[in-house]
């Protein structure tokens, strides 16, 4: 069993808290004038998505989470599961739609996603940070509309609705940031 001491804590470190795999999202070392130094961490539970805080005295340790992160290609969805393929071994892994969540707004077939496995079971799917999608429906662009102007809603090929600049028209390919669902540019 691998453990991490408080001196090893850093953002992105995968640990076990209350028997669940978690990732440290914030870490702060405190050395008060009186008393013992401590580390305060904020973590996200991979299974529930909840964020929590924990204070550890200097010298304490936490168990490492054996979380494997694989880059896998999305193949297809059959309604109850999404199927991802390892690009080297061609092994296919089904991931339940509950774990996938609202990924269908951003991911299309053949996109490469990060699949996190814990005890050989998928626990989280992370889409690419930026995806290129086709605008299926939006108000027509008018000559003279500029990038610094307003915005309008646009329905993308996956069904997602985002705000785009006024000059974007139907049939164009736009780049979207999957972390916040914002328009980044057009191709």
């Amino acid at each position: 069993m691998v453990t991490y001491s408080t001196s090893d804590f850093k953002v992105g470190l995968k640990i076990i808290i209350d028997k669940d795999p978690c990732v440290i999202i914030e870490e702060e070392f405190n050395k008060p004038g009186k008393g013992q130094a401590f580390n305060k961490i904020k973590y996200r539970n991979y299974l529930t998505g909840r964020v929590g805080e924990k204070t550890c005295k200097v010298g304490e340790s936490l168990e490492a989470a054996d979380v494997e992160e694989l880059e896998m290609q999305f193949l297809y969805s059959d309604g109850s599961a999404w199927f991802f393929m390892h690009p080297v071994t061609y092994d296919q892994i089904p991931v339940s739609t509950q774990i996938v969540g609202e990924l269908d707004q951003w991911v299309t077939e053949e996109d490469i996603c990060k699949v996190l496995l814990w005890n050989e079971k998928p626990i989280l799917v992370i889409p690419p940070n930026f995806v290129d999608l086709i605008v299926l429906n939006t108000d027509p662009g008018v000559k003279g509309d500029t990038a610094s102007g307003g915005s309008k809603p646009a329905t993308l090929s996956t069904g997602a609705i985002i705000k785009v600049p006024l000059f974007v028209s139907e049939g164009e390919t736009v780049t979207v940031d999957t972390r916040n669902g914002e328009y980044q540019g057009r191709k």
Side-chain angles (χ1 to χ4, degrees):
M1 168 174 81
V2 177
T3 59
Y4 293 117
S5 171
T6 52
S7 62
D8 297 325
F9 290 177
K10 62 183 176 188
V11 174
L13 191 67
K14 295 165 181 71
I15 53 175
I16 299 283
I17 296 179
D18 297 329
K19 298 182 182 175
D20 285 347
C22 301
V23 63
I24 295 176
I25 54 176
E26 283 182 28
E27 184 267 334
E28 180 183 342
F29 176 76
N30 288 308
K31 172 86 172 99
K34 255 184 167 178
Q36 187 176 9
F38 61 91
N39 277 67
K40 192 173 190 177
I41 61 169
K42 190 179 271 190
Y43 63 89
R44 175 173 284 115
N45 185 314
Y46 276 132
L47 301 180
T48 63
R50 291 197 174 108
V51 174
E53 288 186 1
K54 184 172 180 69
T55 302
C56 301
K57 295 177 191 167
V58 169
E60 274 188 55
S61 60
L62 293 173
E63 185 180 346
D66 187 21
V67 175
E68 186 178 4
E69 189 174 299
L70 299 173
E71 297 237 339
M72 302 186 88
Q73 183 179 32
F74 170 58
L75 296 177
Y76 65 94
S77 171
D78 69 0
S80 63
W82 285 45
F83 292 85
F84 291 87
M85 178 184 70
H86 193 282
V88 176
T89 64
Y90 301 109
D91 290 339
Q92 290 185 22
I93 296 176
V95 180
S96 77
T97 53
Q98 294 171 340
I99 293 171
V100 172
E102 296 188 13
L103 207 60
D104 60 344
Q105 289 188 351
W106 313 119
V107 177
T108 57
E109 292 176 357
E110 298 185 10
D111 280 349
I112 303 293
C113 299
K114 289 181 184 170
V115 179
L116 292 154
L117 302 173
W118 185 54
N119 294 337
E120 304 296 321
K121 293 181 185 169
I123 57 171
L124 184 66
V125 177
I126 303 169
N129 289 341
F130 300 98
V131 291
D132 295 330
L133 299 170
I134 298 170
V135 176
L136 291 183
N137 186 14
T138 191
D139 294 334
V142 178
K143 187 173 179 142
D145 286 341
T146 63
S148 62
S151 63
K152 61 184 179 181
T155 304
L156 305 178
S157 56
T158 58
I161 298 173
I162 65 166
K163 296 259 186 218
V164 297
L166 296 172
F167 59 81
V168 174
S169 37
E170 291 181 9
E172 288 188 297
T173 301
V174 294
T175 302
V176 181
D177 187 335
T178 60
R179 297 166 290 190
N180 56 21
E182 291 182 3
Y183 168 86
Q184 296 297 310
R186 63 181 175 171
K187 292 276 176 178

